[in-house]
Amino acid sequence: MRKILMAAALTIAAGGPLGAQEMSPRATFVLHCAGCHRMDGQGSLPGGIPAFPDSVGHIANTDEGRTYIMHVPGVLGASLTDAEIAEVVNYILETWSDGAPRFDEAEVTRRRAIPVPDVVRKRREIVAELAEQGIPLSTYPWP
């Protein structure tokens, strides 16, 4: 019974029978991002998950930040196509930023191919660069 209910919930979230059509970016967010970043985008400081408000848009407004976003663990490990990643990241930006540029599939593909050996270090560098410009970001829990 539990499996039937889960399949029904996934069918509703996808807007129809699974595989019959693509999920909406919001449904993709719910299934792939909200578990860590929460439905309100606030993340979890004790869990090491940064909040989206007052951060993701500033990060996405920088070249290095756009590459960083494509290498955060949830994006890197998602079983999504580059087009789906662009759509869900655009949903996040539309929801928690003020006009950051949208991603398209080609940019996602290009930026995912750029090596980022240490994503925590990359974020620290971006935060430092933005702080020098007077742009503070939400608290980042990693040392």
Side-chain angles (χ1 to χ4, degrees):
M1 182 64 158
R2 187 175 181 174
K3 288 181 182 181
I4 293 170
L5 290 174
M6 181 59 84
L10 290 173
T11 300
I12 291 167
L18 291 177
Q21 65 186 39
E22 294 180 20
M23 282 191 288
S24 71
R26 183 181 187 284
T28 302
F29 173 81
V30 170
L31 292 173
H32 291 274
C33 311
C36 294
H37 287 282
R38 300 183 355 194
M39 288 298 295
D40 62 3
Q42 291 298 322
S44 167
L45 196 57
I49 310 300
F52 289 143
D54 302 319
S55 288
V56 72
H58 298 300
I59 293 169
N61 275 321
T62 70
D63 184 64
E64 289 295 314
R66 293 177 77 76
T67 299
Y68 160 79
I69 289 170
M70 291 302 118
H71 290 272
V72 297
V75 172
L76 204 56
S79 58
L80 300 171
T81 67
D82 289 351
E84 291 168 327
I85 289 170
E87 289 175 359
V88 74
V89 171
N90 289 336
Y91 169 81
I92 291 166
L93 292 172
E94 290 164 6
T95 305
W96 290 288
S97 78
D98 293 325
R102 294 177 57 82
F103 283 86
D104 63 22
E105 180 180 7
E107 181 181 10
V108 170
T109 301
R110 180 174 58 81
R111 291 189 183 275
R112 289 182 80 190
I114 298 169
V116 176
D118 187 337
V119 73
V120 173
R121 178 180 295 155
K122 176 60 75 179
R123 182 179 171 94
R124 286 188 197 126
E125 292 168 0
I126 293 163
V127 168
E129 177 185 315
L130 290 170
E132 287 176 13
Q133 298 171 30
I135 303 170
L137 299 181
S138 64
T139 303
Y140 186 57
W142 294 101

